[in-house]
Amino acid sequence: MPLPTALLAQAADQARGLAIDAVHACNSGHLGLPLGCAEIGAVLYGHALSHNPDDPRWLNRDRFILSAGHGSMFLYAWLHLSGYDLPMEQIKKFRNLHSKTPGHPEFGDTPGVEATTGPLGQGVGNAVGMAVAGQMARARFNTPEHPIFDYHIVCLAGDGCMQEGVGMESVEFAGHQKLGNLILIYDSNYVTLDAMADKTQSENTANRFKAIEWDVQTVDGQDMTAFLKAFNKAKKAKSGKPQLIIAHTIIGKGIAEVQGTSKAHGEGGAKFADEARARLGLPADQLFYVGTEVREYFKRHKQGLVRRAKKWQKLYSAWRAAHPDKAALLDSRKPASAEAARLLEKIPLFPPDAKLSGTRAAGRDVLQPIAGHLPLLISGSADLHGSTYNYINADKDFDPTNRSGRNIRFGIREHGMAAICNGVAYDGIFHASCATFLVFSDYCRGSIRIASLAKLPVVYIFTHDSIGVGEDGPTHQPVENVSALRLIPNLDVIRPGDLEETAGAFAAAFSRTDGPTLLALSRQAVPNLNDIPAQTRREGAILGGYIALKETAALERILLSTGSELQLALAAAKQLGSGTRVVSLPSFKRFDAQPAAYRESVLPASCRKRVAVEAGVKDLWDKYVGLDGAVVGLDSFGLSGPAPEVYKALGITTEAVVAAAKKL
C-alpha cells in the first residue's frame, strides 16, 4: 500500500495542534519533540507499525517506546488518533491529576504506553531489554510452520537519551548481542534544553554506532517518504545488527518564533499558539481539532490492523494445537506457577552441617530448583557470575548463537543491565533477574526506582552486602545502601540471615508480581541457625519478620537484627538471659504489610527495651526500637581488613549488643 503522504501530512499538523493545545491549556509540558517528530509519528502510527489498538498487549505487536518521555504529547496524540482507549477528554486533561495523560508516559496508566519513561536513556535500555525478550521468544516458541513471534522494537530517542550513560551502556550491549529486531530512531535536531547541542557534544554518532556493530541510516525526519524507506529497510535488514535511523528534524516545527532553537524544548512556544495554529491550517474557533478525513483514515487503518491481528490469532491457535508443550511453556509466565509456597516445596532443606561461603552461596543452590520450576526465568550478571553465584547451571549463555540461553552476560554495565531487565519485564513473557555487588546498586538505582514505580517484578540478586566484604575496604562495603534502598517505595529489600532464610527470601522474591525485590546476600560465611526450625526460618523470611528465639521467662527485652548480624543477636540473647526475645527482620516492607495482630505478636508494644543490630547506618531502625531503644550500627564508612577484625574495630559485636541492652 503506497504511503498517503498528503493525508498523513494533515494528520501530522493536526497532531501538532493537539500538542500545542494540550500544553497551552495546562501551561506546562514540552512541545519540541511532538512538533518536530510529527511526520515520524504519522508514518509509524498511520502506516508502518504492526499493533492492535483494541488489544494493546497483543503478544506479537511491534513495541514502540518513547525514550524521550518529556515529549509525551507525541505519544498521546498518536495513540488517540490510532483508536486506543484514550479519548479526547483525556488529551484535554494533559498533565492533570488522575488523567491517562500524565507529564511523562507511565506504564499501566495509559493503553499503548509500553514503558514508563522520562529519565533520559531509560527507554533506550528498556527497548534493548524488549529486543532481548523478542529474540528469546522467537527461539523458544517459533516453529517453521508457525512463526508466531516476529515483532520489532521501535524506540524514539533524543540527544539527552544519547548522552546519558544508561543509554550508551545499553546500545553497546545491543550491538554486541546483534539484536536485529531493534530499531532506534534518533531525533537529531541539534538542540538540547539549555542550548544548541554543539555546546555539549561533538561526536560523529553514525561512526560511533557503526563501530559498535549497528547498521546506520541518516534521513530527513520531516520527509515521510524518505523516513518510511529507511524504516522499511531497517525492518527487513538481514545483517543481524540493530538498526539506527538518524532522523534530522526541526525542533518545535510549526511555531516559527521558537522552532529550531532551545526555546522550543519546553512550553515557551505555547504563547504563540494562535499564530502557530493558523499557519498549520487549523480552525481558529476549534481547539483540539481533528479533521474528518484524518479521523476516517485512522478508522480504516485501525480496521486493517485489527484484521491483521485476527489473522495472527489463527496462526497462534494452530500453533497451540500443534505444540501443546510450547503453549504450556508460554502459559507458565502467568503468576499461578510462582506462588511462594509452591516454590518453597521445590527447594530442598539444607543439611544441618552445611558450610557455605555466605548467603550468596545459599542463593546459588536455591536458584537452581527455582529456575527448574520457572523455565521462563532468566538470570544475568554484570561480569560477576563468579562472585554473585547466580548462574543457572542447567542452561547456557544467551548470545547470537544461542537465543534460548537463560544466562546473560551484561558486561560491566550495571545501569544498562537494570534498565534492560526492566525492558524484559515490560515485554511480559520472561521473568528477569540480575546481579552485581550491593555497593554498585547506586549505579542501578535510577532503573530500580523506575521498576518500583512501574510495578515490574524484577529480582536483583546483590551480594557482598556489608562490611563483611572485609579486605576490599570501604569503597566496596555498602554501609548505607541497604537503608537507602529500603526507602524506595514498592521495592522489597530482603536481607536473609542464614541458609534457610535465604530459601524463603528467594521464594518471596520470585513469587512477587506487583513490584521488584532486592536480595541482599553476604559474601562471608554465616552459621546455619539450626536452633530455629528450618520451616520457621523459611516462612519467617516470607513474612518479613518473625520470632527467631522466644523468651522462656517474662519478656524483658527484644533484640532485633537482619542478615549476617542475626547470629550476633542470638549470641547476645544467651548472655542476657531467659527474658530475652530475638526477632529476625529480613524484610521491613513485608513485615510492615502483615496484619497488626501478627506484628504485635512479634513486637509487643508493651516491651520498650529493644536493641537492633545491623552492620549499616542506624536511622531506619528507630521505627522498631522506639525512643527508649538503642541501635548497634554504623555512623561511618567501613575499613579495609579481614572481616572479623573490621566488625570488631567498628563495634558490631555480640559484646556491643549485650552492653547496649544492659544500659536500657
Side-chain angles (χ1 to χ4, degrees):
M1 175 182 173
L3 187 69
T5 52
L7 188 55
L8 289 181
Q10 290 183 47
D13 283 343
Q14 290 171 20
R16 288 186 171 101
L18 294 179
I20 291 170
D21 293 343
V23 170
H24 189 259
C26 66
N27 196 31
S28 175
H30 295 261
L31 283 170
L33 183 145
L35 274 61
C37 291
E39 283 81 9
I40 293 173
V43 172
L44 291 176
Y45 281 93
H47 186 83
L49 288 178
S50 178
H51 61 119
N52 183 1
D54 285 347
D55 184 5
R57 298 293 291 172
W58 173 40
L59 282 174
N60 197 42
R61 71 196 181 279
D62 287 339
R63 278 78 162 150
F64 176 82
I65 301 95
L66 179 66
S67 186
H70 54 273
S72 57
M73 264 309 303
F74 169 92
L75 184 54
Y76 299 149
W78 292 111
L79 292 177
H80 168 73
L81 289 172
S82 296
Y84 283 82
D85 183 17
L86 193 65
M88 186 65 81
E89 64 184 46
Q90 292 296 328
I91 301 295
K92 293 178 180 179
K93 292 179 180 179
F94 178 55
R95 287 189 167 226
N96 282 311
L97 193 63
H98 305 312
S99 75
K100 291 185 179 181
T101 50
H104 293 81
E106 294 186 28
F107 176 73
D109 286 359
T110 311
V113 169
E114 298 281 3
T116 296
T117 56
L120 294 177
Q122 281 288 331
V124 174
N126 300 158
V128 172
M130 291 184 188
V132 168
Q135 295 285 0
M136 288 181 168
R138 294 181 188 191
R140 293 288 191 91
F141 302 109
N142 283 3
T143 67
E145 301 82 13
H146 304 103
I148 61 168
F149 289 124
D150 63 356
Y151 60 87
H152 281 73
I153 314 303
V154 183
C155 178
L156 178 58
D159 289 289
C161 300
M162 304 297 269
Q163 288 189 13
E164 288 284 2
V166 62
M168 289 304 97
E169 288 181 24
S170 301
V171 298
E172 289 169 359
F173 173 87
H176 179 73
Q177 287 286 350
K178 301 187 183 306
L179 300 178
N181 55 339
L182 173 62
I183 302 172
L184 176 61
I185 303 165
Y186 170 25
D187 173 27
S188 179
N189 55 34
Y190 307 105
V191 175
T192 60
L193 193 151
D194 270 352
M196 299 306 289
D198 62 7
K199 294 291 185 181
T200 56
Q201 64 187 37
S202 54
E203 74 171 26
N204 185 316
T205 302
N207 285 349
R208 178 177 185 176
F209 272 74
K210 288 176 183 176
I212 57 173
E213 296 296 308
W214 284 62
D215 286 338
V216 180
Q217 302 176 71
T218 301
V219 299
D220 177 351
Q222 258 92 50
D223 184 333
M224 289 188 288
T225 301
F227 176 77
L228 177 61
K229 182 179 179 181
F231 186 81
N232 285 339
K233 182 179 179 181
K235 228 178 181 186
K236 296 174 182 176
K238 302 299 183 183
S239 66
K241 296 180 180 181
Q243 304 291 308
L244 174 67
I245 300 174
I246 301 174
H248 291 300
T249 64
I250 300 171
I251 189 172
K253 183 185 177 185
I255 304 180
E257 294 82 356
V258 299
Q259 69 180 36
T261 73
S262 60
K263 293 179 182 178
H265 195 278
E267 67 271 1
K271 62 186 176 184
F272 305 108
D274 292 341
E275 299 93 326
R277 296 181 85 261
R279 294 188 197 104
L280 292 169
L282 304 176
D285 60 347
Q286 190 174 348
L287 299 180
F288 297 97
Y289 172 78
V290 178
T292 301
E293 282 188 280
V294 170
R295 285 279 185 215
E296 287 300 316
Y297 173 79
F298 274 93
K299 181 179 179 180
R300 293 193 302 273
H301 183 58
K302 177 182 175 180
Q303 291 170 348
L305 293 172
V306 172
R307 284 195 300 270
R308 185 186 305 174
K310 287 181 178 178
K311 182 179 179 181
W312 176 90
Q313 189 65 44
K314 293 180 181 178
L315 175 70
Y316 178 68
S317 297
W319 169 83
R320 291 190 68 91
H323 304 283
D325 54 337
K326 290 182 181 293
L329 176 62
L330 183 60
D331 291 344
S332 73
R333 74 191 187 278
K334 298 172 183 176
S337 64
E339 295 170 355
R342 292 180 67 180
L343 291 182
L344 269 183
E345 291 174 358
K346 305 297 180 182
I347 306 168
L349 294 173
F350 287 92
D353 60 349
K355 291 180 173 59
L356 297 174
S357 55
T359 53
R360 63 170 177 163
R364 171 196 60 206
D365 294 350
V366 167
L367 176 63
Q368 308 312 318
I370 289 179
H373 184 63
L374 301 177
L376 298 181
L377 167 64
I378 64 173
S379 185
S381 185
D383 200 47
L384 287 169
H385 275 123
S387 295
T388 53
Y389 294 174
N390 66 310
Y391 198 89
I392 298 175
N393 294 333
D395 219 302
K396 297 180 180 179
D397 291 349
F398 169 86
D399 61 36
T401 67
N402 180 32
R403 295 307 194 189
S404 295
R406 298 170 67 187
N407 297 289
I408 301 179
R409 297 185 184 273
F410 287 105
I412 307 92
R413 302 183 179 102
E414 291 90 352
H415 200 178
M417 172 181 73
I420 290 167
C421 283
N422 284 357
V424 172
Y426 284 126
D427 194 78
I429 295 175
F430 296 92
H431 196 158
S433 66
C434 60
T436 185
F437 291 171
L438 183 62
V439 76
F440 301 134
S441 62
D442 284 337
Y443 286 4
C444 307
R445 189 179 177 90
S447 298
I448 293 174
R449 183 179 187 272
I450 293 296
S452 303
L453 172 64
K455 301 179 181 178
L456 303 177
V458 179
V459 176
Y460 310 100
I461 302 172
F462 287 1
T463 67
H464 297 57
D465 71 340
S466 73
I467 58 173
V469 173
E471 291 86 347
D472 281 347
T475 61
H476 282 53
Q477 294 171 5
V479 298
E480 84 287 3
N481 297 72
V482 169
S483 285
L485 291 160
R486 285 171 178 154
L487 290 172
I488 298 177
N490 199 39
L491 174 65
D492 186 12
V493 178
I494 311 179
R495 187 167 180 249
D498 85 331
L499 313 186
E500 298 297 354
E501 279 198 5
T502 302
F506 270 68
F510 286 106
S511 62
R512 190 177 181 206
T513 60
D514 61 352
T517 303
L518 188 147
L519 300 167
L521 307 177
S522 73
R523 181 181 79 166
Q524 77 277 20
V526 295
N528 212 4
L529 303 174
N530 295 315
D531 289 343
I532 310 168
Q535 203 62 22
T536 300
R537 283 173 277 162
R538 289 179 165 214
E539 294 173 357
I542 294 173
L543 291 169
Y546 67 101
I547 299 172
L549 176 67
K550 188 170 178 61
E551 68 283 358
T552 56
L555 180 61
E556 297 177 16
R557 65 185 65 84
I558 300 174
L559 307 181
L560 303 92
S561 192
T562 186
S564 50
E565 292 74 60
L566 179 58
Q567 59 183 302
L568 303 182
L570 290 165
K574 292 180 179 179
Q575 296 185 35
L576 290 167
S578 57
T580 303
R581 174 182 295 189
V582 177
V583 169
S584 175
L585 280 180
S587 169
F588 290 8
K589 278 192 173 61
R590 283 183 169 269
F591 181 73
D592 290 348
Q594 300 307 318
Y598 177 77
R599 287 182 278 118
E600 172 66 16
S601 72
V602 176
L603 290 175
S606 59
C607 183
R608 298 170 66 102
K609 292 184 178 182
R610 303 181 183 186
V611 177
V613 54
E614 186 173 41
V617 295
K618 302 176 182 179
D619 296 23
L620 292 190
W621 284 99
D622 288 346
K623 65 184 288 187
Y624 299 114
V625 301
L627 296 176
D628 299 332
V631 182
V632 176
L634 297 174
D635 293 310
S636 68
F637 290 106
L639 297 168
S640 182
E645 296 178 21
V646 173
Y647 268 87
K648 184 175 181 180
L650 294 173
I652 312 297
T653 63
T654 297
E655 292 74 22
V657 177
V658 172
K662 288 182 176 179
K663 287 181 181 178
L664 298 180

